[in-house]
Amino acid sequence: MGPPSAAPHGGHRPWQGLLITASLLTFWDPPTTVQFTIEALPSSAAEGKDVILLACNISETIQAYYWHKGKTAEGSPLIAGYITDIQANIPGAAYSGRETVYPNGSLLFQNITLEDAGSYTLRTINASYDSDQATGQLHVHQNNVPGLPAGAVAGIVTGVLVGVALVAALVCFLLLSRTGRASIQRDLREQPPPASTPGHGPSHRSTFSAPLPSPRTATPIYEELLYSDANIYCQIDHKADVVS
């Protein structure tokens, strides 16, 4: 019985190769395809503004973009498409003239309305003619005063209306007061003055003329002048008149 044969020096056993292969498979992570997403900018826009549905993580091998209004591309109306080879927009049945597809796949809405709110789906086709799709949401609200809730806006409107009503009432009051004063003044002007008694002025006058002194109440010098006798003049005390 011969001795056991020894393993050949410098050779590799088959099971060692299997172990190396298994190790490589364990630590090797094959690349995964990143799913693109749709993001609305802004997330909620007021009607009349512009909104863009941004396509994120789009592959560089995309050959065509197709935007549909709905939660899926299948059975939803086509808004517009974009062909990268010819760099042209292709309008669809749901195209309103306010939509534009960019070369990166994003969709721009201009002057949005409340009816534009809803789900939108982007379908892509790459160079291998593989198709993929993602859905985003478009939120639209009424155009209110920025930074103020609807209740505050209603309060402001009510306050303005009350202020206008108060101003109108004040103007009416002033007009009525002025009209009343004018009517009273007109009545006073049209009223005839009261009749005056003979020898007296109107009752509303505060001044009156004093009667002229009669000859009998005149000063002594005039009283003496009434006499025809000239000698009487010699009896007048002229010095007393001068002193007085």
Side-chain angles (χ1 to χ4, degrees):
M1 183 175 181
S5 59
H9 298 284
H12 293 284
R13 297 180 180 180
W15 58 269
Q16 291 178 343
L18 294 176
L19 288 177
I20 295 175
T21 302
S23 299
L24 291 176
L25 292 176
T26 301
F27 293 101
W28 178 66
D29 188 11
T32 58
T33 302
V34 178
Q35 176 67 33
F36 70 91
T37 57
I38 305 299
E39 181 180 357
L41 296 176
S43 58
S44 180
E47 57 180 340
K49 302 296 183 178
D50 297 345
V51 178
I52 186 169
L53 294 178
L54 185 62
C56 305
N57 301 324
I58 291 293
S59 174
E60 297 180 356
T61 61
I62 300 300
Q63 300 296 312
Y65 302 95
Y66 298 98
W67 277 97
H68 299 261
K69 187 172 184 180
K71 295 182 178 181
T72 60
E74 292 77 11
S76 298
L78 176 66
I79 300 174
Y82 184 86
I83 309 301
T84 57
D85 290 342
I86 60 176
Q87 298 182 356
N89 277 266
I90 301 175
Y95 181 72
S96 66
R98 299 177 292 112
E99 301 88 359
T100 302
V101 183
Y102 286 99
N104 61 357
S106 300
L107 176 63
L108 172 66
F109 277 93
Q110 292 178 312
N111 192 22
I112 62 173
T113 63
L114 295 176
E115 289 75 15
D116 292 330
S119 301
Y120 291 86
T121 300
L122 171 61
R123 182 169 64 94
T124 62
I125 298 177
N126 60 16
S128 302
Y129 297 100
D130 295 327
S131 178
D132 198 1
Q133 60 181 316
T135 303
Q137 295 291 327
L138 178 60
H139 300 280
V140 184
H141 60 267
Q142 292 182 345
N143 191 9
N144 295 326
V145 179
L148 294 177
V153 175
I156 293 175
V157 173
T158 303
V160 171
L161 293 178
V162 172
V164 171
L166 291 176
V167 172
L170 180 60
V171 171
C172 292
F173 175 76
L174 294 177
L175 290 177
L176 291 175
S177 300
R178 181 175 297 178
T179 304
R181 289 196 299 269
S183 178
I184 294 174
Q185 293 176 358
R186 184 173 61 254
D187 294 341
L188 292 176
R189 288 195 299 269
E190 293 176 355
Q191 184 177 2
S196 61
T197 59
H200 296 80
S203 60
H204 65 276
R205 295 183 60 183
S206 60
T207 61
F208 60 92
S209 299
L212 293 176
S214 63
R216 305 307 304 173
T217 60
T219 59
I221 186 171
Y222 292 107
E223 185 175 341
E224 297 295 336
L225 290 176
L226 294 176
Y227 295 96
S228 58
D229 188 0
N231 296 325
I232 195 64
Y233 297 109
C234 297
Q235 300 177 5
I236 299 175
D237 188 3
H238 298 286
K239 294 181 180 181
D241 292 337
V242 172
V243 173
S244 60

